[in-house]
Structure formats: C-alpha cells, structure tokens
C-alpha cells in the first residue's frame, strides 16, 4: 500500500513535464495538441492522487517520500520530500480533479489564441507548483510551491500582457503577495528559532509540549496568518483578487476555486498543532475570516462585471474557510474548500461560457435571458447559484452549516466573541444568497438587454466546454454528502481529516439545538433569495436605483475604499518620490545648478584614464606612491 501511495509523488513531475513540452515545442504543434498534452498530464496526476487516496484509506498511515538532502548548516539539517497523508491527498484530489476539468474546458475557450501553447505551459506549471505546496514535508519546500503559484499567477493574470491593464493586474497581484510572503519568511525564521527544525511534522509533534499561549507561538501564528492573507486574499491584502479577472476566465476558475486562494487555508490547517497552543493567534484568524467574508459579500452586491461579482464572492467564501480554521474546526474549513472547488469552479466556467458566446462582453447590464438560449450553461449555473446560496441538499448547505455550527460552539472563541462571529457569518450567508440571485437573474433570467450584435452571436458553447460544466454541476450537488452533520450520521470528511489535523474544543449541543441551527441557516438562505426576487423581479430594480447614491451603495461599488486608500498611501507616495528624484536629477545634476553637471563628466574622465587596465602603469603608480610616502616620512623626520 505504501508503494501505491508513493507513486503519487510523480504528480507534480507529470505536470512539470507537460509544462516543459508546451514551453519548448508547443508552438510547433497544432491545436488542440498543447491542450491535450496539458490535460493528460493533470489527468494522470488525478489518477495517481486517487490511488494514493485508496492506499491511505486502506492503511490509515501517512507516507513520506524522500527526495534529497537540501541543506546542512550548523544545527539545521534539512531534507526535502513529500508528506502524503489524509489532508495532502484530499488537496491533491481537488487540485488535479477540478484542474483537469478546467484544462479540458480551456481547450475550447482558448481556441485560436496566439498564446495557446504558452497558456497551457503556464497552467501546467501552476498545477505543479500547487501540488508541491500541499505535498511538501517542510516549510522550506512548501515555500517553493508557495512562490511558484505566485509567479504563475503573475504570468496568467497578465497573460494578455499587451493590454496595459492586464499587465498592471498581474503586477499588482505579485506585489501584494510579496507582503504575505515576507510574513512566511519571518515565520520560518521564528519557527526554526523556537523548534530547531523546519520539518512540518516535527514542529506539529513538538507544539503541544510548548508553553501554552506563549508570545513566540502567538507570533508564529500571526506571521503565518499574514502569509495566508496574501495568498487567500483576506483583509488587509484582499485587493489583488478582483483585478485578477484580467486573465483568461479558466485561470480565474483555477486560481479562485481549486488552488491558490485556498493555500492560506491549507497552511493554517497544516500547522493546526501550533495554533492549538496559540489561542490569541487562532482568535485573530477567526476575526479576519469573518470580517473579510462580510465586507467582500457587501462589495459583491454592487458589482456589474460578471466576473468581479464572483471574485468578491471568492474572497467572501474563503473568509468562511478562514473563520472555520480560526474556530479550531480545521476539517470544516477544508470541507468548504472541497465543496467550493465544485460550485465556484462551475460559476467561473459558466461566466466564461457566457463571455465566449457574447464575444467577450462582461457587463451584466448588457445581458439577460441567456438561460433560454444557452440551456446547458444556464442550468448548470443555476445549480451552482443555489449551491453557494446554501439551499438544502446541495453541497455548500452542508459545509457552510458546519462552519456556522463550529463558530457558535468553539471553545477557542468563547472569550473572543464567538456569538458575534456566528451572527456576522449568518448575515453574510444571507447576503451571499442575495448577490448570487442578482448575478443569475441579470445574466440568465430577466429581460434580454443584449446589443444587436451580441444577440446575433449568442450560442451554446461546444461540448469540450459544456461537459466540464455538467461534471462540476454534479459535484456541486453531491460533494456535500461526505460531510453530513455528525448528530445525524457518520461525518466521513471529519473522521478522514482527524488523522492529520488537530481538533479544537467545542460545546456539545443537543439534537434539538442542532436542528434549530440547521433550520436557521436554511431560513437565512431563503430570505436572501427572497429579497433578491422582491428587488429584481417584483420591483424590477427600482429600489436599487433609489439607493444608488447612498453611502452603502458607494461603499459596495468601491469595495469599502481599500484600493483607493492603498493607492493614496503607497502608489501615489511612491510615484511622488520617484518624480522628486527625477526632478533632482534633471534640474540639479543635468543642468548643473551647483556645477555638478560639469563636475560629474570631468571626474568620470579622470577616473577612466586612471583605471587604464595597464599593469605597467599600475606598477609605476605604486612606485610613485611609495616614493611619495618615503618623501613624506623623511620630511616629517626633519621637522621633528
């Protein structure tokens, strides 16, 4: 069985090989060969991940696959390898499974693009990097994958780099993530200082023996949280994700649904033993997640771009995941990662299908009624909309309810406002249902508002794009059943992840209370959908027009001004400093207001002549120097 699991260590290599083939030979291949190569590479990785899943299910034991000795310096001895356990294998299944569907979809979506082979090379490299991140057995090796997905996101977000806005979006994502990466680096230094190792399993084994709530452990937890806020787009580093919509839509699906933005959730879950003895850091994690979820949900209501609504939705849903791990329910956070991969991947790909049909149109105000003309896309999008809204018996209903229950009953949050956090998440769930109803109604239902040219172009996407939609729709329905509430039956995903994550302390609720909380979540979901129906169907959007100039509407459209604030504090300040330096160089140095304009070339010419490169000239200069020193010494002696 261990050998079967160990074969999964080839999954990153397969994706890397696919990337290299397309990078070096892709341009000489005809479509769809680069797409097929890339899809097969990821598909084989899914098969290996599935074998590893069954292997670990059979033995229950984690498997370490050593690669090579990386560093031996003083007390630091570091070997690189992969650690395959219940958590990493589940993440591998998500990355390769949903990633494979996105790759197949991309074959049709990217048809005819000049960068066709480059796109698939970068997508494969992205998958390889994410696999390294979740399989790594040490923080150093994890950081390699962490930086790998950062570089790939820069390349893919700015894929159409000839457009300045796209290039700027990629650069913004890269720079903002460097802030979080700084936190990861400092956290590693502090981890080594405290634990004497960077091996993740050793750190987790030692953590329970450390002083509970110590400043060092709290610092480590807060620094890893800073890293997570970067990759997972949480407050205060969430500003890069909406601009990431500049890349091709399947890139958005891959980054937002199955890979990069869930990396922060994985990092905290992987280091759960450290957070278990750092309650202050854990409570901070929960508050960051809840506030991010609420603010991003409100921001989603005011967006008009078909993909930006989903971008803010991703930030909000990842906030739910972060809140779950902050409550100590690491399994619930990963459970929502699992269900989210299906319905959010489906939503982005459905948006891409609409854009493909409308020639790139993204403004929802110029859509409407597309469900009748794009039946597969419209039906699957409806399933995903109901799933994310928390409608009973669909996937998010189970995972979101698990997060709400964990927040309410968490012992860690008992003194940190657990009841308030629960209430805020419940409100956020209602807002989620509202903005997703609005998204679906404006795009697929309601009156048709298409331009004449767009109306004539509307068509259902080809099979290579619609088949992945159908598969993801099935997952959006069924994925939640691996985590049925524990008070009803055996919670399989909780039991599965209990072997690789620490479980926090929770208050035991009676069955009647459990049912009441479940019913409350259902009521909130339908209230959100009902408000959306009343505003957009019954009221035909009249209320929206009346509220258009209110402060809350402005805050929603502007995402509470974070971008404007950062632009004023960092971008404009940096630009001002650069302009001042330019002015100094031009007016003072170049124009020689104080004579520097002429002195600089003169000094340069003298030094150039002095540094001739002639050895005999240097020897002669040394002789003159020695003679000069001798003469000075003699004169000093005479004067004395």
């Amino acid at each position: 069985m261990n050998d079967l699991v160990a074969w999964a260590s080839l999954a990153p290599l397969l994706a890397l090989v696919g990337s290299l083939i397309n990078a070096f030979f892709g341009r000489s291949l005809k479509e769809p060969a680069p797409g097929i190569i890339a899809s097969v590479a990821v598909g084989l990785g899914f098969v290996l991940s599935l074998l590893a899943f069954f292997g670990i299910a059979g033995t229950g034991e984690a498997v370490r696959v050593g690669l090579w000795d990386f560093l031996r310096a003083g007390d630091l001895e570091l070997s690189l390898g992969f650690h395959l356990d219940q958590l990493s294998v589940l993440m591998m299944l998500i990355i390769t499974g949903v990633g494979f569907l996105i790759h197949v979809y991309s074959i049709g979506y990217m048809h005819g693009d000049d960068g066709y082979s480059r796109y698939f090379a970068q997508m494969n490299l992205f998958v390889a990097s994410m696999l390294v991140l979740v399989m790594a057995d040490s923080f150093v090796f994890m950081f390699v994958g962490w930086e790998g997905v950062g570089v790939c996101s820069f390349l893919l977000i700015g894929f159409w780099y000839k457009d300045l806005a796209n290039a700027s979006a990629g650069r913004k994502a890269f720079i903002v993530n460097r802030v979080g990466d700084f936190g990861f680096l400092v956290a590693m230094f502090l981890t080594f200082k405290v634990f004497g190792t960077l091996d993740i399993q050793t750190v987790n084994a030692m953590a329970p023996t450390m002083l509970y709530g110590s400043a060092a452990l709290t610092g480590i937890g807060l620094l890893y949280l800073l890293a997570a806020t970067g990759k997972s787009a949480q407050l205060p580093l969430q500003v890069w994700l909406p601009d990431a919509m500049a890349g091709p839509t399947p890139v958005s699906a891959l980054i937002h649904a199955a890979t990069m933005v869930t990396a922060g959730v994985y990092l905290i879950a992987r280091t759960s033993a450290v957070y278990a003895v750092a309650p202050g850091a854990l409570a901070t994690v929960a508050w960051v997640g809840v506030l991010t979820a609420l603010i991003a949900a409100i921001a989603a209501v005011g967006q008009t771009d078909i993909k930006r609504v989903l971008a803010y939705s991703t930030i909000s849903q990842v906030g739910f995941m972060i809140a779950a791990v902050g409550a100590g329910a690491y399994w619930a956070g990963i459970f929502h990662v699992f269900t989210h991969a299906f319905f959010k991947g489906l939503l982005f790909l459905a948006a891409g299908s609409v854009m493909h049909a409308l020639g790139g149109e993204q403004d929802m105000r110029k859509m409407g009624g597309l469900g009748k003309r794009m039946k597969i896309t419209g039906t699957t999008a409806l399933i995903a909309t109901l799933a994310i809204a928390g409608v009973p018996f669909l996937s998010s209903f189970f995972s979101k309810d698990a997060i709400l229950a964990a927040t309410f009953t968490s012992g860690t949050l008992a003194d940190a406002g657990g009841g308030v956090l629960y209430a805020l998440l419940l409100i956020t769930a209602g807002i989620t249902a509202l903005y997703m109803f609005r998204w679906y109604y404006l795009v697929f239902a309601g009156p048709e508002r298409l331009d004449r040219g767009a109306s004539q172009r509307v068509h259902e996407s080809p099979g290579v794009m619609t088949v992945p939609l159908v598969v993801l729709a099935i997952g959006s329905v069924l994925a939640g059943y691996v985590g049925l509430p524990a008070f009803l039956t055996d919670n399989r995903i909780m039991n599965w992840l209990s072997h690789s994550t620490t479980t926090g302390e929770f208050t035991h609720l009676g069955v009647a209370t459990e049912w009441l909380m479940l019913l409350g979540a259902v009521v909130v979901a339908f209230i959100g959908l009902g408000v959306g129906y009343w505003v957009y169907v019954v009221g035909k959007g009249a209320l929206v027009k009346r509220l258009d100039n209110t402060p809350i509407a402005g805050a929603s459209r502007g995402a509470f001004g974070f971008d404007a604030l950062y632009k004023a504090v960092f971008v404009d300040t940096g630009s001002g400093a650069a302009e001042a330096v330019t002015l100094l160089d031009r007016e003072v140095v170049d124009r020689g207001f104080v004579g520097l304009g002429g002195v600089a070339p003169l000094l340069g010419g003298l030094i150039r002549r002095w540094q001739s490169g002639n050895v005999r000239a240097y020897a002669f200069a040394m002789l003159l120097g020695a003679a000069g020193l001798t003469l000075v010494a003699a004169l000093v002696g005479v004067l004395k």
Side-chain angles (χ1 to χ4, degrees), residues 27-190:
R27 291 186 65 85
S28 62
L29 300 173
K30 294 182 179 180
E31 291 188 29
I36 293 173
I37 292 170
S39 300
V40 168
V42 179
L44 290 175
F46 175 72
V47 173
L48 293 177
S49 301
L50 201 59
L51 291 175
F53 171 81
F54 287 120
I56 290 178
T59 64
E61 298 178 358
V63 175
R64 184 186 184 278
V65 180
L67 298 179
W68 58 81
D69 291 337
F70 175 67
L71 181 64
R72 295 181 183 274
D75 296 332
L76 178 60
E77 294 185 4
L78 185 63
S79 298
L80 299 185
F82 293 134
H83 180 79
L84 303 175
D85 64 359
Q86 289 82 357
L87 176 57
S88 57
V89 167
L90 179 60
M91 292 297 296
M92 289 172 66
L93 286 171
I94 296 171
I95 295 164
T96 56
V98 177
F100 169 72
L101 295 173
I102 295 171
H103 275 70
V104 172
Y105 175 97
S106 297
I107 293 174
Y109 188 86
M110 296 300 292
H111 172 68
D113 193 280
D114 292 339
Y116 190 82
S117 59
R118 174 168 59 92
Y119 168 85
F120 282 104
Q122 293 172 2
M123 288 283 277
N124 265 189
L125 186 60
F126 195 111
V127 170
S129 299
M130 190 66 194
L131 286 171
V132 169
L133 192 158
V134 300
M135 296 168 65
D137 65 346
S138 69
F139 289 109
V140 172
F141 203 18
M142 181 188 290
F143 191 68
V144 172
W146 191 271
E147 290 299 285
V149 295
V151 171
C152 292
S153 67
F154 166 73
L155 296 172
L156 287 165
I157 293 169
F159 181 77
W160 290 310
Y161 57 87
K162 294 181 180 179
D163 187 326
L164 180 60
N166 296 341
S168 297
R171 186 167 60 248
K172 181 178 180 179
F174 191 79
I175 292 171
V176 172
N177 270 274
R178 297 292 70 73
V179 180
D181 295 349
F182 171 77
F184 199 126
L185 281 170
V186 179
M188 282 197 291
F189 295 144
L190 188 55

Side-chain angles (χ1 to χ4, degrees), residues 345-371:
L346 174 54
L347 287 169
F348 270 111
L349 296 188
S353 183
V354 169
M355 292 166 58
H356 184 269
L358 300 181
E361 180 61 66
Q362 294 183 219
D363 191 338
M364 297 191 300
R365 293 169 296 186
K366 298 180 181 179
M367 299 180 187
L370 294 177

